[in-house]
Amino acid sequence: MRTRFAPSPTGPLHLGHAYSACLAHDMAVAEGGTFLLRIEDIDQSRARPEWEAKIYDDLHWLGLGWPTPVMRQSDRMDAYNAALDQLWDAGLLYPCHCNRRDILAALDTPQEGVEPPTGPDGVIYPGTCRPSIAPTGPRPKDTALRLNMARALECLDTPITYSETGTVPMIVSANPLAEIGDIVLARRDMGTSYHLSVTVDDAEQGITHVVRGADLAEATQIHVLLQRLLNLPTPAYHHHKLIRDENGKRLAKRDDAKAIALYRDQGKSPRDVRQLVGL
Ligand code: GLU
């Protein structure tokens, strides 16, 4: 068994991260497997080396260990480009020049307060830039690239499925074109995307069990679809409960009050933190 914890170095780790990391670690150790760490820093406008250093500190303090060197997504652009080339050559991507305002205008949701339809990747793209014939020639580099969902689905021999051992059932849309849409796989500012990078890297690290919060359960079908298109194995998924604050709200990066470092500074032990999250 190989599990991983994949934080983004954009803020302090909080109790929710402690739960996720300890659970992934404990599951691997219980099976004599390996727990890996991966730094998800493709958003260079938000990632900071200080936060990365604090991630190592917090996880070490919790008593976790992992093989080094640690995979850092900002070092992995070649692998993401190779995956994007593969999808482009298969005619599954197209350039998109729409900004958010264009998309909302095309969706014709002018009424204030009326939310446009969303899926696991946010607002469902109305298809403005989708070509009727797959683009040819070299892959454009400084524009967003979307997945042609209808074409991608045509490539599948069997329906999307995965094994789920967590607190939520497997989630697979009946109509991914209408319920997920043509998602962005290469953002103009990053050259990649969360979905593409996470899929490529879980395969590269040989992850057998993806352990992460239930908030990502709905996006898993996108990852399985990409695994199929890129000929990568599909790991098992374990989407765990989310740690909430006193008001039942899920913890976010800005919830400094729940930062692991704060509990440590207050003299709490790693055991106390494990107990707080129910481990
Ligand atoms: N980097 C993501 C986050 O910090 C986690 C991605 C994942 O576990 O798949 O929320």
Side-chain angles (χ1 to χ4, degrees):
M1 181 183 278
R2 287 167 73 85
T3 65
R4 48 64 162 190
F5 178 56
S8 302
T10 55
L13 295 188
H14 55 56
L15 288 184
H17 296 108
Y19 179 69
S20 202
C22 289
L23 184 65
H25 171 267
D26 294 357
M27 281 175 68
V29 167
E31 297 291 324
T34 307
F35 165 76
L36 293 115
L37 182 62
R38 178 169 75 232
I39 299 295
E40 300 216 321
D41 60 349
I42 51 173
D43 188 351
Q44 285 288 306
S45 69
R46 293 171 61 222
R48 297 275 176 277
E50 309 86 86
W51 290 124
E52 185 178 328
K54 289 205 165 73
I55 288 173
Y56 300 137
D57 268 7
D58 286 345
L59 297 180
H60 279 136
W61 178 76
L62 283 169
L64 310 188
W66 51 86
T68 53
V70 168
M71 179 181 281
R72 193 187 283 121
Q73 288 193 322
S74 54
D75 296 332
R76 301 261 307 142
M77 280 313 296
D78 287 352
Y80 308 145
N81 279 322
L84 288 167
D85 283 340
Q86 202 178 324
L87 297 172
W88 175 264
D89 292 345
L92 299 175
L93 302 180
Y94 62 87
C96 176
H97 306 285
C98 296
N99 59 30
R100 202 180 149 76
R101 192 148 29 95
D102 300 330
I103 294 173
L104 293 181
L107 283 167
D108 197 20
T109 43
Q111 281 160 279
E112 281 290 321
V114 176
E115 291 299 321
T118 58
D121 196 56
V123 174
I124 290 155
Y125 183 60
T128 318
C129 291
R130 185 192 304 134
S132 49
I133 304 168
T136 49
R139 176 168 66 87
K141 293 285 154 58
D142 43 14
T143 172
L145 296 174
R146 288 186 181 273
L147 179 69
N148 186 324
M149 183 60 83
R151 283 229 175 92
L153 294 168
E154 280 167 18
C155 298
L156 302 184
D157 306 330
T158 53
I160 289 174
T161 178
Y162 59 90
S163 129
E164 172 66 81
T165 58
T167 53
V168 285
M170 174 180 79
I171 304 174
V172 177
S173 300
N175 183 351
L177 184 58
E179 293 167 11
I180 301 172
D182 291 356
I183 52 172
V184 170
L185 289 189
R187 282 177 48 164
R188 199 169 75 95
D189 54 344
M190 293 181 190
T192 182
S193 60
Y194 161 65
H195 299 302
L196 184 90
S197 298
V198 85
T199 303
V200 169
D201 290 345
D202 281 337
E204 176 65 26
Q205 289 191 300
I207 302 302
T208 61
H209 291 72
V210 171
V211 180
R212 63 186 176 192
D215 52 332
L216 288 167
E218 221 193 330
T220 300
Q221 55 189 320
I222 298 174
H223 306 161
V224 176
L225 171 62
L226 292 176
Q227 287 151 12
R228 297 280 190 90
L229 299 175
L230 293 167
N231 273 318
L232 301 173
T234 294
Y237 288 87
H238 185 94
H239 290 97
H240 59 68
K241 68 172 183 182
L242 299 175
I243 304 296
R244 298 180 183 275
D245 67 12
E246 299 73 18
N247 304 314
K249 222 177 111 274
R250 156 162 102 78
L251 300 182
K253 275 273 157 64
R254 60 190 171 281
D255 284 314
D256 294 6
K258 305 286 179 211
I260 297 170
L262 233 82
Y263 289 90
R264 178 164 81 180
D265 294 348
Q266 286 167 7
K268 298 261 193 285
S269 70
R271 244 190 104 134
D272 296 332
V273 168
R274 277 176 169 268
Q275 259 172 12
L276 266 172
V277 294
L279 278 171

